[in-house]
Amino acid sequence: MGRQFAKLAFTPLVKRQQELHGSRRQYQRIEESGEPGSQLGEDEREFIEARDGFYMASVSETGWPYIQFRGGPKGFLRVLDDQTLGFADLRGNRQYISVGNLQHDDRVALFLMDYVGQQRLKILGRTTILEGGDAAQELIAKLRTSEPNALPERAFVIHVEAFDWNCPQHITPRFTEEEIRDLLEPRNG
Ligand SMILES: Cc1cc2nc3c(=O)[nH]c(=O)nc-3n(C[C@H](O)[C@H](O)[C@H](O)COP(=O)(O)O)c2cc1C
């Protein structure tokens, strides 16, 4: 864990629990001398651009946490620079829960899973939504994928504040159809 993730996630009540359960000192060291963990490096870029989906949490104005899964072709979540991510938000069921929540609080938590590699990456950030107007159209054109029926409504820009890699424990390897095909292919040949 990096310093910046610890700074954002370790609230006074979290720290109190760490004290009660004996892990506070270990985490205090990370807060004081860990890696910054706020600028995406090559490992993070590669991992993010290989994903075909991720979970995104937002918070409603009534305080409820909310999670939605976002899926698309590999790489649809783009690394725009070492602190910025973006994706084109497509017209879907038109509930607009995440978009509504982000009008009140721009903060999101992203959760990216690699079941085969047994890795997970958590990202905390603030979101800017671009919708309507030339700047939005320009960014949507850059972010949209080649899916024929996709109708992008807006661009999501996520300003990364912190990230954290989790340990591989407890991740059951799962394979997509494509990954199974790739694994079986040499034997069929
Ligand atoms: C026809 C249709 C197509 C959809 N395509 C996608 C898609 O490609 N990727 C995705 O993450 N969600 C897709 N969704 C789901 C939604 O777009 C959902 O509305 C969006 O994730 C916003 O959810 P929220 O209101 O819970 O925030 C689709 C939904 C429908 C009805």
Side-chain angles (χ1 to χ4, degrees):
M1 174 175 286
R3 286 202 309 268
Q4 188 60 14
F5 201 94
K7 192 175 145 194
L8 299 181
F10 297 168
T11 61
L13 288 175
V14 171
K15 286 180 189 172
R16 177 79 190 115
Q17 287 301 311
Q18 292 173 356
E19 267 159 25
L20 281 173
H21 300 289
S23 59
R24 181 65 207 133
R25 205 185 289 179
Q26 163 196 350
Y27 286 117
Q28 190 160 359
R29 270 200 299 276
I30 290 176
E31 278 176 58
E32 287 164 1
S33 54
E35 294 284 313
S38 53
Q39 280 170 301
L40 304 167
E42 215 28 61
D43 287 348
E44 286 79 29
R45 176 188 287 273
E46 251 179 53
F47 185 82
I48 292 166
E49 295 193 338
R51 305 276 63 79
D52 59 6
F54 65 94
Y55 300 89
M56 183 173 77
S58 55
V59 185
S60 78
E61 74 266 43
T62 51
W64 282 99
Y66 177 75
I67 300 177
Q68 177 60 278
F69 175 76
R70 297 305 179 113
K74 273 182 191 171
F76 79 102
L77 177 63
R78 294 266 294 277
V79 179
L80 298 174
D81 65 42
D82 64 4
Q83 283 198 291
T84 318
L85 304 175
F87 68 95
D89 189 32
L90 309 180
R91 175 169 294 173
N93 60 14
R94 296 198 280 174
Q95 291 183 5
Y96 301 115
I97 301 175
S98 307
V99 177
N101 287 349
L102 293 167
Q103 310 299 308
H104 138 83
D105 188 328
D106 64 359
R107 290 175 291 185
V108 287
L110 308 186
F111 197 64
L112 283 66
M113 294 291 304
D114 170 4
Y115 290 101
V116 178
Q118 291 177 291
Q119 283 187 299
R120 51 191 155 161
L121 178 64
K122 293 184 287 196
I123 297 173
L124 297 176
R126 290 187 180 271
T127 306
T128 303
I129 295 174
L130 278 80
E131 188 171 351
D134 291 347
Q137 288 315 317
E138 225 169 272
L139 189 56
I140 288 170
K142 182 172 167 184
L143 294 173
R144 69 175 303 161
T145 62
S146 54
E147 292 166 292
N149 299 323
L151 195 65
E153 287 187 329
R154 63 193 64 75
F156 267 64
V157 177
I158 298 160
H159 311 281
V160 174
E161 295 213 356
F163 64 84
D164 182 37
W165 289 93
N166 264 159
C167 72
Q169 264 186 55
H170 312 299
I171 303 175
T172 306
R174 296 175 212 279
F175 297 82
T176 62
E177 279 180 63
E178 186 192 340
E179 285 157 351
I180 292 169
R181 258 199 310 274
D182 287 350
L183 284 170
L184 294 178
E185 215 165 49
R187 284 182 226 169
N188 293 337

